[in-house]
Amino acid sequence: MTSPRVACIGAGYWGRNLVRNFHELGALGWLCDASPDTRAVMAQRYPGVRCTGSVDDVLGDPDVAGVVIATPAETHAQLVRRSLDAGKDVLVEKPLCLDLEEGRSLVDLAERQGRILMVGHLLWYHPAVLRLREMVRAGELGRIQYIYSNRLNLGRIRREENILWSFAPHDVSVILGLLGEMPENVKAQGGNYLHQKIADVTVSLLSFPSGVKAHIFVSWLHPFKEQKLIVVGDRKMAVFDDVQPDTKLVVYPHIIDWRDHVPVPTQGAAEPVAVEKAEPLRAECAHFLECIRTRQQPRTDGREALRVLSVLQQCEEALQEAPSRAETLQAPNGHPVTAAAAPAAPAYFAHESAFIDAGVDIGPGTTVWHVSHVMKGSRVGKNCRIGQNVVIGPNATIGDGVKVQNNVSVYEGVTLEDHVFCGPSMVFTNVYNPRSEIRRMDELRPTLVRRGATLGANCTIVCGTTVGAYAFVAAGAVVTKDVPDYALVIGNPGRVAGWMCSCGNRIVFEAGDHKGACKSCERRYRKAESKVWPDD
């Protein structure tokens, strides 16, 4: 069967790979590039292929069925539109364009004219990614909980678009395809280090209606190349590492078991996944030719490209909302001037994937870790430790020296005094009788956790209660009423089962005795009915 004839527009860093593949597939008829030197090299390398510097030459040839565009991203929209208007099918490198509305216009134009519009989201032609999608759809990893990707390198640094638009489209495309849903919330942070208006490093956080979260870390200021995507399920975890020469997909049967109300990780041996060895770009090029022949819808068509564009544009808007690293002011005469003094660096540490809203107060020495969010109106004291995937606020209050472990939400109405410990995945509530269809945020019941109290892993504190100073709520317990100072609470519903010293060990009271002591630190206590206090 005779292969459709295509023309490649752009034979630079990536375009030359497309030229090679289409030539080897016997489909390359034209090569168009603005550089005479590039055209001379290509003409010598591919005799018989017509070379030109004019797009009109390509679009005016009736024998050209498809146009392949590998030019700078800022030129994509114009070239795609011209090619569609000339009656050509189009394969354009990612991104489709740099504006969502422009993208919609191009997709509508292709559909009206009955033309193929395909975007080079290359990973959907990678055997390892296709196998990973099969595993996710078959439930082999269990319920998907979290996805994160790193696409890092030293260069290629661009000036047409920032790192988000240059590197992240591949990862956004794969994450959306694996989950089969669009994010309901998108946030992003970035850093501009080489140019004040172009981000070199970005971290984007996507939150999906199913509860899955994903983050995408991209940078062209990295000491080595890394292209890794990790999918975390509740049964297994999969790692796609495209830098590895052979084993690119590995599954880890790691799970978290609950033993005595404590989460315990169980690690299994890595399981390499066998996948076909094939060049993804060759598969992509062959797929485009097949779509031209059969008029089938491309795997990465215009509609899929619009979903990716939508997420990228939301990330870009989030980046613009954040203050730039090197802000300038505009003088009355119109000349930009550097601000007299840059804002002082915060005295706390926040991981680059964390989100800190405007209008929050975080004390010195506090650390906020991966993908955590401190919402507006909240106060976090000094020397606190905020773990991963923690949400604080809005309008929550946390004292000094507090530790909030992973996967905890400290809602509005919750106050934690100094040196409170919140164990992994413990739960606060703030509405007593919630209904999804009835708004009750004006019925919040405040929760107070007094100094030094410990809230164990996976316990629940029902709103409207006070947990006393140095009380100890055991893992998995459910607190439905006030807890006295120094009390040990276990069970569901929670009940007082003993008394705890401020050092975290049991206080021993002899039968019928109102005096007791901690066997560890020997501090002495007194007891009367349901109350315990230090006997200082």
Side-chain angles (χ1 to χ4, degrees), residues 385-388 390-392 397-399 401-411 414-428 447-450 452-459 461 467 471 473:
R385 300 293 178 264
I386 309 302
Q388 299 183 32
V390 171
V391 177
I392 297 173
T397 301
I398 293 179
V402 172
K403 292 185 178 180
V404 182
Q405 301 289 78
N406 298 354
N407 308 314
V408 174
S409 294
V410 184
Y411 294 119
V414 176
T415 298
L416 309 182
E417 291 186 351
D418 295 348
H419 302 292
V420 169
F421 177 90
C422 297
S425 302
M426 62 80 48
V427 175
F428 291 105
T447 298
L448 173 62
V449 184
R450 294 199 176 277
T454 291
L455 309 178
N458 212 39
C459 73
I461 311 299
V467 178
V473 179

Side-chain angles (χ1 to χ4, degrees), residues 280-401:
L281 187 57
R282 174 61 62 87
E284 179 185 86
C285 295
H287 183 68
F288 180 54
L289 297 176
E290 181 67 15
C291 290
I292 294 176
R293 280 193 295 263
T294 65
R295 314 311 295 170
Q296 71 186 65
Q297 199 72 359
R299 188 180 305 161
T300 52
D301 63 3
R303 292 293 170 184
E304 194 263 348
L306 287 182
R307 291 191 289 271
V308 174
L309 272 184
S310 174
V311 173
L312 290 173
Q313 189 151 310
Q314 291 177 72
C315 291
E316 181 68 32
E317 290 169 357
L319 286 175
Q320 298 305 321
E321 290 173 3
S324 65
R325 175 180 176 272
E327 285 198 7
T328 60
L329 303 176
Q330 201 73 17
N333 61 7
H335 297 296
V337 295
T338 303
Y348 62 87
F349 168 82
H351 187 266
E352 57 193 359
S353 66
F355 297 94
I356 311 297
D357 285 359
V360 303
D361 181 10
I362 301 179
T366 289
T367 54
V368 182
W369 288 103
H370 305 67
V371 204
S372 289
H373 187 182
V374 183
M375 302 178 73
K376 63 181 181 180
S378 297
R379 179 195 176 276
V380 181
K382 62 185 179 182
N383 299 320
C384 295
R385 300 293 178 264
I386 309 302
Q388 299 183 32
N389 197 32
V390 171
V391 177
I392 297 173
N395 306 313
T397 301
I398 293 179
D400 298 338

